Amino acid sequence: MRIYHAIMLGMLGFLSDRFHVYHSAKNLQQRLEMVKRVHGMDGIEVVYPSEFANPGETIQLLKDSGLAISAVNLNVKSEKRWENGSFTSPDPHIRAAAVNELKTALDLAAELGTEMVSCCPLIDGHNYSFEVDYLTQWAWLVEGLKEGGLHRTDIKLSLEYKLNESRNYNLLSDIGRTLYLCQCIGLPNVGVTMDVGHALIAKETPAEALALAAQAGRLFYIHFNDNGRDWDWDMIPGSINLWDLLEVMFYVKRLDWEGWVSYDIVTRKGDIVKTMEASISIIEHANKLVEKIGMEKLEAFIKTGDPAHNFDELMRSLL
């Protein structure tokens, strides 16, 4: 087992909700300097196209920073043109534009020395019955992502699912659909970004979702965060669902998984750098807690399947 910790650059700048502004905007150079102050980080996750208004300048800044890049995160939801969908827009020109953006992101990943593009197609789905043709929409998604995956077979395309937002019903909403999509595409470089918070709001057990993706050979990337299983609040890992986090780390260790993890954490209160630093530390502590309890003991819990005994022992392990 070896995990590498990445900080999402998008989480270090402007932050607001409908009522308050929590953090002011910061340029790319300022955010790169912030990342360097995060103890325990190994690299960064960068967003395309928002960070690439001036591609040459951004590429040079990223290279000059000396920071490793875990992934290029492709955003095909925010611009006006994606209003009616990206890979599944009814307009063939918009669908083609989404595929072209994916190809550009894959090329950027190669240029920046990372092997992965992560994409969460949040604008693809529906809000009402009889609004879209489900059969056609799924076919468009498979077609567009397969074309992108074939463009750079040397770069991984890691697909992130989410139950809802921006659509009431996102097309890529859970681990089962995501793995089925990977099967439909049929390319070895297409896999899954397993976001712990997204698994929670989909009413999944995060460790089970992770294990399914790993069994399928598709677990490419992990995003850590937390929430109350009601909305994607992007909270500090383990702050609510401690045992779920511990179980995730148990399976990461049991599977001897190696790869990048990233922190999709919103800092509504306090210092952003300290929040990211604490998030990394919590993951490391959760791993140490797994080691303290012992893999054999945790595996014995599973074999006996006795919740009363297991949770009594788990609580004792915290003392």
Side-chain angles (χ1 to χ4, degrees):
M1 168 188 164
R2 176 69 170 94
I3 62 174
Y4 304 88
H5 303 278
I7 303 298
M8 290 184 174
L9 287 179
M11 296 299 180
L12 306 183
F14 179 78
L15 176 65
S16 71
D17 58 21
R18 291 188 299 157
F19 307 106
H20 300 285
V21 173
Y22 297 101
H23 297 283
S24 60
K26 300 172 186 66
N27 63 36
L28 179 58
Q29 184 63 57
Q30 290 172 317
R31 284 176 285 133
L32 289 171
E33 292 304 317
M34 287 175 69
V35 168
K36 292 177 182 179
R37 305 200 322 261
V38 179
H39 178 73
M41 72 85 196
D42 297 299
I44 54 175
E45 180 177 326
V46 61
V47 179
Y48 172 80
S50 60
E51 302 287 4
F52 291 85
N54 186 328
E57 181 180 320
T58 297
I59 290 169
Q60 195 59 52
L61 277 172
L62 292 172
K63 288 184 175 180
D64 289 345
S65 74
L67 295 166
I69 297 176
S70 62
V72 173
N73 191 316
L74 174 64
N75 183 331
V76 281
K77 63 180 185 296
S78 302
E79 298 174 27
K80 179 67 176 177
R81 59 177 169 163
W82 311 126
E83 186 175 27
N84 294 313
S86 58
F87 297 104
T88 67
S89 169
D91 184 337
H93 299 290
I94 298 298
R95 295 200 303 275
V99 174
N100 285 335
E101 289 288 68
L102 172 54
K103 291 178 180 179
T104 299
L106 291 160
D107 290 338
L108 274 172
E111 171 71 16
L112 293 169
T114 179
E115 65 172 8
M116 187 157 51
V117 166
S118 185
C119 179
C120 191
L122 292 174
I123 206 69
D124 292 304
H126 68 281
N127 296 319
Y128 295 98
S129 299
F130 300 104
E131 180 184 4
V132 301
D133 183 329
Y134 307 127
L135 303 176
T136 302
Q137 197 178 55
W138 186 261
W140 283 337
L141 185 66
V142 172
E143 179 184 20
L145 294 174
K146 185 170 186 175
E147 183 178 342
L150 285 169
H151 175 68
R152 295 291 306 236
T153 56
D154 58 325
I155 303 295
K156 293 178 180 177
L157 172 56
S158 192
L159 302 171
E160 181 178 357
Y161 64 91
K162 187 173 183 180
L163 183 66
N164 48 31
E165 192 194 31
S166 296
R167 299 297 185 229
N168 292 350
Y169 304 95
N170 285 355
L171 187 54
L172 208 61
S173 57
D174 55 43
I175 189 65
R177 290 191 194 203
T178 309
L179 290 174
Y180 176 58
L181 178 60
C182 292
Q183 179 181 319
C184 289
I185 294 170
L187 297 175
N189 62 316
V190 178
V192 178
T193 297
M194 208 293 289
D195 183 296
V196 173
H198 294 181
L200 289 168
I201 63 172
K203 303 299 187 286
E204 296 174 339
T205 299
E208 181 186 22
L210 180 143
L212 286 171
Q215 275 187 312
R218 303 288 184 177
L219 181 61
F220 288 179
Y221 202 24
I222 302 172
H223 282 176
F224 279 114
N225 47 39
D226 206 351
N227 60 60
R229 300 179 188 265
D230 57 344
W231 184 250
D232 188 32
W233 293 108
D234 290 332
M235 298 171 72
I236 293 169
S239 56
I240 298 179
N241 299 286
L242 173 61
W243 301 121
D244 282 286
L245 174 60
L246 193 71
E247 192 177 34
V248 164
M249 297 312 298
F250 165 76
Y251 276 94
V252 168
K253 194 171 186 67
R254 181 177 174 183
L255 292 161
D256 196 24
W257 185 81
E258 180 173 340
W260 282 96
V261 305
S262 189
Y263 294 86
D264 195 351
I265 309 294
V266 171
T267 307
R268 284 182 287 270
K269 185 175 183 180
D271 182 84
I272 297 176
V273 169
K274 290 180 179 177
T275 298
M276 294 301 174
E277 197 167 83
S279 297
I280 292 173
S281 178
I282 287 166
I283 296 303
E284 293 292 343
H285 287 316
N287 183 47
K288 289 177 182 176
L289 183 55
V290 169
E291 292 175 351
K292 175 187 174 184
I293 299 169
M295 292 295 292
E296 289 186 5
K297 190 171 185 177
L298 290 168
E299 288 168 7
F301 287 173
I302 295 169
K303 288 178 181 178
T304 59
D306 183 350
H309 170 267
N310 295 350
F311 275 92
D312 182 42
E313 288 297 312
L314 285 169
M315 289 301 292
R316 288 175 188 271
S317 72
L318 300 179
L319 299 176

